[in-house]
Amino acid sequence: MDSKIKESSSADRVHVLIAGAGPVGLVSALILLRNGLTVRIITKETEFRTGYRGPGIQLSSRSIGQVDHEAILRAHLLRDYGCQVELGTELVSLEQQSYSVEATFIKTNDKSDPTTHKARFDWLIGADGAHSIVRKQLGCTFLGQSYKQSGMLLADIHLLNGWGDDHIKAWGNIAQKSLLIRPYMSSYSAQHSTPSQPKNDTRVQVMIAGPDVDVIARSVIGEGEMNASTTEGRDALVRIIHEMSGRKDLIFGDLIGMGVWRPNIRMVDKFGTGRVWIAGDAAHVHSLTGGQGLNSGVQDAFNLCWKLSFVHKGLRDGSTTSLRLLDTYSEERVRVVKAMLNVTTNLLKQTFGANSGGAAEAQENGAQSLTANPTSTDSANPSNDKKKPVKEFGFTRGFELRMFGINYRGSSIVVDEVDPPAVVLDPYKVSPDEPVRGGDRAPQAVGLQIIRRSANNIDDAPSTTTLFDVFDTTKHTALVFVGPPIEGLTSSLEAVQEVVKSLGGYPLETMRIMVVHSQDTTSQSLVDGLDGEVLEVKDTEGHAYTTYLRGIAQSELSALDAGQKRPVVIIVRPDGHVGAMVRGVEGIEKYKRSLLA
C-alpha cells in the first residue's frame, strides 16, 4: 500500500536526530541535552527490549544488564528533559547537505497504516546497531570476519527455586560445551516479568556455548525463526539445562526469550563525515569476551558528543566556521577500537579454543559458582550440585580490560608541552604507574579544601571537593597549579590572573577553572575579584600535585617557586581525558586554536 509522506517545517526543526535507542543512543541524547541541544531519538522496535542482554557494566560487585541501563537512561531523559524514545520509527534513508541532514523514516503503530516522514536536522547520529542503515548510507566499509566455530544459545527464563545465593553458576568446558546461568537480581527489570511469574528476582540468563551450538539451537528453537519463544522450545531448553548441570531439582517457569549469538569481528574505516556520524555497534562489533562492547560504545558517545556540542555552539555564535574538530572523533576512536578488537579477539580464541595452538585451558565437566562480579573466582559449591567445581571459566579480567588505560596520546588536538615528549603508547593500555600525560584519562584527586568559590556557587556548599565532583561533561576543566608558597605575591598574582583571563576567553562558557594550591601553601586566595567560573582549592592531601605533576621534570616543578614563572595548566576535556598540559597563556591559546581551527 502507498504510504503518506509528511515533511516537518523549519519551525519543528530539532538539532540532532539519533537513530537507535540502546545505551549508546541514550547516552548520546543525555550528553547533547545537557549541552543545550534539542534531540529526537527513534528506534524501529515497537516495544522496549526484554531479556538480560549484555551485562558488561559492573557496579559494587554487581553486573547490571543492558536492559536495565536502558530503562534507567530512558527514565532520566524523560524526567529531566522531557525526551521520550519514539518506538516504531525506522530510519530508511538520509541525505547530507552543507547545513543540514534530511532524514526519511517510516513510522508504524497499531492504529494506522505506515507513514513516511521527512525532516531536517543539524546533525544525525547512527547508534542503530550492527546492521546500521546510517553506516550503509554513509558508504563506510565494515571489514572483518565471523567465527562460525564459536557461538552461544542465549535465553532468559524464570528460575523459581534458585540455589540459595546470587552467584553465577557454570558447568562444562567452554571450548567444548558449557552452561552458564546468571541471576538478574535487578530492581529495574520488573517490567519484563510475565503474568505467571511477576517477581523480577526469579529471572536468570542462560548461556549455552560450544561448537555444536547449531545442533542445540535447532533442538530448542527449531528450524525456523531463531528468536522464537515457544512452549516446545522452553521445554527443550529446560531438558538441556538439567542434562548439562545434573541439577534436575532446578524448577523453571516461563521462558522470556531466546536466540543465537555468534562472534562477528568488524569495524569501519571511518566513524562518519560532516554532519552524520556513527557510534557503538554501528561502527564496530566484536566478541563478548572481555566485556568491552557496551563500555566502548558509551566511550564513542562521549568522544563524539562533546565535540559535536562544541562545534554546534561555535557555529551558532561565530567562534568557529569549521567542522574539523569532528574529524578527530574518527582519528581518536579508530586507534582505540582497533586495539580493543585485538584484545577481545585474542580472548575469544583463548576462551573458545579457537587459537592456532589448540584448545583452551582444559576444564573438568563440573559446576563453578561465581559472584556477579566476573573477576571473582569464588568456588563455593552447594551440596546439591552433582559435579565438582572447575578452576577457571575463562572470563577473568585484568587491569587492561577495566579500560582505565585508554588514551589519546598523539591526537592532533592534544597539546602536551612537557619535555621530553610523551611516548605514544598502545592506545588501549597505559600502566597505572605511568605519569599522566596529554591524552590520558584524567585521574581522581580528593581532599581539595575550597578557598574561594565562583560567584554562582551556593553559600552552603561543602567545604571540600574532589576532581570527579568538579569535572563536567558539558565543559572543559582547567587545573591551574600555582605551586608552593612564594615570595613576590604581586608577580604571582599577575601570572595567575593572566592565565585565568585567557581561560575565560573560551567560547560559550565551555571552560571552568580551578586554581590548585599545594598542601603547604597558606589558605589565601590569589584570584579574588576576578569574574567567571573560578574555584580555588588547597590540595590538602597532595593527591592532585602528586598525580598530575609527576610527569613534569623536577627542575620545571621547582621553577614554579619564582614569582615571574608561569603556572602549569592542565586542561581536562568533557570526556574526562587530558586535552592539554601547558605553561601559561601561549599553551592555552594553542589548545584553543586546535579546537576552533
Side-chain angles (χ1 to χ4, degrees):
M1 69 187 72
D2 293 335
S3 60
K4 301 176 182 178
I5 299 179
K6 297 181 180 179
E7 184 167 358
S8 65
S9 66
S10 58
D12 301 324
R13 184 144 150 188
V14 174
H15 294 145
V16 186
L17 173 66
I18 299 175
V24 176
L26 295 168
V27 168
S28 297
L30 182 59
I31 298 170
L32 294 167
L33 288 163
R34 285 181 172 176
N35 275 278
L37 281 69
T38 54
V39 171
R40 184 174 179 184
I41 181 168
I42 64 173
T43 179
K44 67 180 181 180
E45 295 170 329
T46 55
E47 59 183 20
F48 295 123
R49 298 166 178 168
T50 60
Y52 201 72
R53 294 178 64 83
I57 298 288
Q58 298 175 53
L59 181 66
S60 301
S61 296
R62 298 282 183 185
S63 292
I64 302 178
Q66 178 176 327
V67 67
D68 300 322
H69 273 85
E70 292 174 359
I72 294 168
L73 290 167
R74 287 197 304 268
H76 185 46
L77 287 169
L78 182 60
R79 182 188 68 236
D80 293 351
Y81 299 98
C83 179
Q84 188 165 9
V85 174
E86 298 179 37
L87 291 167
T89 307
E90 180 180 3
L91 179 72
V92 293
S93 66
L94 62 93
E95 183 180 347
Q96 183 168 188
Q97 299 163 351
S98 298
Y99 300 101
S100 65
V101 182
E102 182 180 78
T104 302
F105 44 89
I106 297 175
K107 192 169 182 64
T108 60
N109 56 52
D110 296 332
K111 298 180 180 179
S112 64
D113 294 334
T115 303
T116 300
H117 293 254
K118 287 188 177 182
R120 292 184 185 277
F121 303 87
D122 292 314
W123 313 93
L124 192 153
I125 295 175
D128 48 343
H131 301 289
S132 170
I133 185 66
V134 180
R135 182 187 68 241
K136 293 172 183 176
Q137 293 276 304
L138 282 171
C140 299
T141 63
F142 201 46
L143 300 178
Q145 57 185 320
S146 299
Y147 279 75
K148 295 183 179 180
Q149 71 271 34
S150 304
M152 286 187 180
L153 175 68
L154 301 178
D156 295 88
I157 191 170
H158 288 274
L159 175 61
L160 303 184
N161 58 339
W163 44 72
D165 58 43
D166 61 353
H167 290 191
I168 299 168
K169 297 287 287 184
W171 295 264
N173 181 335
I174 198 168
Q176 297 175 6
K177 189 175 181 181
S178 64
L179 165 68
L180 182 146
I181 302 178
R182 181 196 303 269
Y184 274 62
M185 298 298 291
S186 169
S187 60
Y188 281 92
S189 298
Q191 59 180 309
H192 305 308
S193 299
T194 62
S196 60
Q197 272 89 48
K199 293 183 179 180
N200 65 333
D201 58 358
T202 65
R203 294 168 304 113
V204 295
Q205 181 187 46
V206 176
M207 300 180 179
I208 299 175
D212 59 347
V213 69
D214 281 337
V215 176
I216 297 172
R218 282 194 294 271
S219 69
V220 174
I221 301 176
E223 298 288 347
E225 174 58 49
M226 292 303 285
N227 290 303
S229 300
T230 63
T231 300
E232 294 80 7
R234 178 261 176 211
D235 295 343
L237 175 68
V238 171
R239 284 196 301 271
I240 291 174
I241 294 173
H242 284 163
E243 290 171 4
M244 293 184 67
S245 67
R247 291 289 303 271
K248 294 187 178 180
D249 59 305
L250 297 178
I251 302 174
F252 291 92
D254 292 345
L255 176 68
I256 301 168
M258 62 180 165
V260 174
W261 169 87
R262 292 193 181 284
N264 203 4
I265 299 160
R266 300 179 185 277
M267 71 174 293
V268 292
D269 54 335
K270 60 180 180 179
F271 281 47
T273 185
R275 293 179 174 270
V276 181
W277 301 88
I278 54 177
D281 286 353
H284 47 87
V285 293
H286 41 87
S287 166
L288 57 73
T289 44
Q292 306 293 280
L294 190 154
N295 302 276
S296 294
V298 169
Q299 289 184 350
D300 289 347
F302 269 86
N303 191 294
L304 169 61
C305 289
W306 82 257
K307 294 171 180 176
L308 189 152
S309 299
F310 192 93
V311 170
H312 182 86
K313 295 173 185 178
L315 291 172
R316 287 299 176 93
D317 84 331
S319 58
T320 185
T321 58
S322 172
L323 306 184
R324 195 196 69 82
L325 177 62
L326 289 171
D327 293 334
T328 68
Y329 168 51
S330 281
E331 175 194 344
E332 292 185 340
R333 291 302 296 165
V334 163
R335 292 177 63 246
V336 171
V337 171
K338 280 183 178 178
M340 182 267 291
L341 289 178
N342 288 334
V343 170
T344 56
T345 302
N346 286 336
L347 282 173
L348 171 70
K349 293 175 180 178
Q350 295 168 16
T351 302
F352 287 92
N355 57 321
S356 58
E361 180 180 355
Q363 298 169 349
E364 300 178 56
N365 182 25
Q368 179 185 20
S369 177
L370 302 173
T371 64
N373 181 349
T375 60
S376 170
T377 55
D378 177 11
S379 59
N381 195 38
S383 58
N384 58 353
D385 277 337
K386 308 303 180 185
K387 316 283 184 177
K388 61 181 180 179
V390 297
K391 297 180 180 178
E392 190 71 43
F393 196 69
F395 290 104
T396 301
R397 303 177 187 176
F399 176 83
E400 180 179 357
L401 297 182
R402 298 175 189 173
M403 306 178 86
F404 293 145
I406 289 175
N407 67 90
Y408 302 123
R409 293 188 182 190
S411 166
S412 62
I413 58 169
V414 168
V415 178
D416 188 333
E417 296 184 335
V418 177
D419 191 35
V423 177
V424 179
L425 303 171
D426 183 326
Y428 213 71
K429 50 187 176 184
V430 169
S431 165
D433 299 325
E434 183 83 11
V436 175
R437 298 297 298 266
D440 291 356
R441 172 182 175 271
Q444 171 70 306
V446 301
L448 304 176
Q449 178 188 341
I450 298 175
I451 299 172
R452 185 253 190 201
R453 302 180 189 277
S454 56
N456 57 356
N457 284 125
I458 56 177
D459 293 334
D460 60 350
S463 59
T464 60
T465 190
T466 73
L467 286 186
F468 281 6
D469 288 332
V470 172
F471 293 160
D472 190 331
T473 57
T474 69
K475 292 180 173 66
H476 284 76
T477 301
L479 308 178
V480 183
F481 290 90
V482 297
I486 58 176
E487 297 182 1
L489 182 60
T490 302
S491 297
S492 176
L493 175 60
E494 290 174 352
V496 174
Q497 287 182 335
E498 185 181 46
V499 163
V500 170
K501 182 178 179 180
S502 176
L503 290 166
Y506 274 67
L508 294 167
E509 300 180 348
T510 55
M511 180 69 71
R512 67 169 33 177
I513 305 163
M514 174 185 277
V515 176
V516 186
H517 295 262
S518 70
Q519 63 186 138
D520 299 323
T521 192
T522 58
S523 299
Q524 182 177 1
S525 173
L526 295 179
V527 294
D528 280 337
L530 290 182
D531 296 328
E533 192 173 356
V534 183
L535 180 67
E536 199 164 1
V537 300
K538 177 179 178 179
D539 186 19
T540 58
E541 299 180 26
H543 292 306
Y545 270 77
T546 300
T547 301
Y548 282 87
L549 301 187
R550 191 157 53 102
I552 298 177
Q554 196 64 37
S555 58
E556 286 197 66
L557 186 58
S558 63
L560 295 175
D561 290 359
Q564 300 296 329
K565 295 296 182 179
R566 300 164 295 174
V568 172
V569 180
I570 295 178
I571 301 177
V572 179
R573 308 185 329 184
D575 63 354
H577 286 262
V578 175
M581 298 185 73
V582 298
R583 299 296 299 272
V585 172
E586 291 182 3
I588 293 169
E589 294 299 314
K590 182 178 179 181
Y591 180 63
K592 181 164 65 175
R593 288 193 299 271
S594 77
L595 300 181
L596 298 175

